[in-house]
Amino acid sequence: MKIDEMIENFRLGKFELDCKRIVLTQNKETGERYEGKGYIKQDTDGVLIYNVYVTKHENTTPHSQLSNYFSHLGKIHPDETFFSLEAEAKDGTTLRASRFFPAVSWDMHSGEPEFVRGQLQALTARRDFPQKNYVLELHFFEKYEVPLNKWSTVEGIGGKHHVVDTAEFDACDSHFMVNVRDGSGQSVVEASSEQPFPLNFHWRIQEALQFITGRTANHRALVTCEPGSQKLELISPTKASLRPHFCPPLKHVSIEYRTHGWELF
């Protein structure tokens, strides 16, 4: 599992994995189950989609899925109506997803399901990793105007040159490093700590970025490291307001934003 490569392909809309095995399981006892080879990739809008060519199935008929869906129409869907996915890619990586509705295509002559397809809100992969500290790495697939204060050396057409593309600071018992390289098409916020992060700390980071920039922010990839393991989550795009109705607390062109922006964060 090459995490950086997977994130970059996902950012460019080129994410695609052929899978030796995909299993879809309904979240209840004796629920529907489908298994077969298939793939997971992005559609033209960047949304994660899957397709399973069914070779095995259990507890399902051509009308069971419709019955399951329409029995809860107009209501809050309980967990048992949703499905979970587990897939094994050709390189051995195990991928998981949850809380989605599959669409099943049936061969009405044989009464057997041919394939199952649908969309995924998110896809996760986990691997063993010799990591001691706790790390959160949020990837936003757009450039944000943040107060950068560190130089980096980059390789360009005319050779090496220096750019201001990084900021480092400490907050909430964590060390933060923010990278926004001009022309990269993404902003990355990394937090590291010797202690476990509070529950849902990545949402706090995203909210803080929205606050200081005055813009909607939705991370599209999340890398979570804990001692001995590393997890990658890829997230399908969601609708966002093009003109959010809030303003940054300090003007981005002001010297105060450069000197006090991360205190507000």
Side-chain angles (χ1 to χ4, degrees):
M1 182 173 75
K2 299 178 180 179
I3 285 183
D4 291 340
E5 182 179 316
M6 291 174 73
I7 292 174
E8 182 62 8
N9 286 337
F10 189 61
R11 183 182 73 83
L12 297 173
K14 298 179 179 179
F15 180 81
E16 184 170 359
L17 287 176
D18 287 325
C19 299
K20 296 187 291 186
R21 179 173 174 265
I22 300 178
V23 179
L24 308 178
T25 309
Q26 191 179 2
N27 300 337
K28 72 172 186 177
E29 293 272 343
T30 67
E32 297 177 40
R33 185 181 184 277
Y34 305 91
E35 180 179 338
K37 294 181 179 181
Y39 60 81
I40 301 172
K41 66 176 185 178
Q42 288 173 275
D43 65 13
T44 55
D45 295 320
V47 176
L48 289 163
I49 60 174
Y50 63 90
N51 197 342
V52 184
Y53 300 101
V54 180
T55 56
K56 298 179 183 178
H57 62 94
E58 298 174 8
N59 306 320
T60 182
T61 67
H63 305 294
S64 59
Q65 189 185 34
L66 288 175
S67 175
N68 172 51
Y69 181 81
F70 284 112
S71 64
H72 299 95
L73 197 62
K75 306 174 184 177
I76 295 177
H77 288 263
D79 186 62
E80 67 179 29
T81 63
F82 294 101
F83 281 69
S84 296
L85 173 149
E86 182 172 314
E88 183 184 357
K90 286 189 173 181
D91 65 357
T93 300
T94 298
L95 306 126
R96 292 182 173 85
S98 60
R99 295 187 66 79
F100 60 90
F101 292 114
V104 185
S105 178
W106 290 82
D107 182 337
M108 301 312 294
H109 293 289
S110 65
E112 297 290 319
E114 293 183 297
F115 57 86
V116 187
R117 61 176 53 164
Q119 297 182 342
L120 301 173
Q121 294 179 337
L123 184 70
T124 63
R126 187 186 295 271
R127 68 171 179 176
D128 295 335
F129 192 71
Q131 171 74 33
K132 292 184 179 180
N133 289 343
Y134 295 83
V135 180
L136 287 173
E137 194 175 281
L138 287 77
H139 292 253
F140 301 86
F141 292 170
E142 55 185 306
K143 180 182 175 182
Y144 286 90
E145 189 68 35
V146 294
L148 304 171
N149 51 33
K150 296 279 185 179
W151 294 84
S152 294
T153 303
V154 299
E155 193 78 43
I157 297 176
K160 294 182 179 180
H161 62 281
H162 301 286
V163 295
V164 180
D165 63 357
T166 305
E168 291 190 54
F169 59 94
D170 294 318
C172 302
D173 298 320
S174 304
H175 180 72
F176 284 81
M177 185 166 67
V178 182
N179 184 271
V180 184
R181 182 166 295 171
D182 194 31
S184 67
Q186 67 173 333
S187 304
V188 182
V189 182
E190 178 186 295
S192 58
S193 174
E194 295 181 354
Q195 304 297 324
F197 293 107
L199 185 65
N200 295 323
F201 193 59
H202 61 290
W203 293 120
R204 297 287 303 278
I205 294 172
Q206 179 170 294
E207 290 168 355
L209 180 64
Q210 291 185 126
F211 172 63
I212 68 168
T213 61
R215 288 177 54 193
T216 302
N218 291 300
H219 65 278
R220 296 286 309 285
L222 175 65
V223 181
T224 305
C225 297
E226 298 178 347
S229 71
Q230 186 179 51
K231 184 179 76 171
L232 169 65
E233 182 176 17
L234 302 177
I235 303 163
S236 290
T238 57
K239 292 183 179 179
S241 174
L242 298 177
R243 300 178 62 186
H245 295 283
F246 53 89
C247 299
L250 291 173
K251 291 183 179 180
H252 294 166
V253 296
S254 67
I255 190 64
E256 288 81 7
Y257 186 64
R258 297 292 170 184
T259 56
H260 300 296
W262 295 120
E263 293 179 39
L264 291 173
F265 180 94

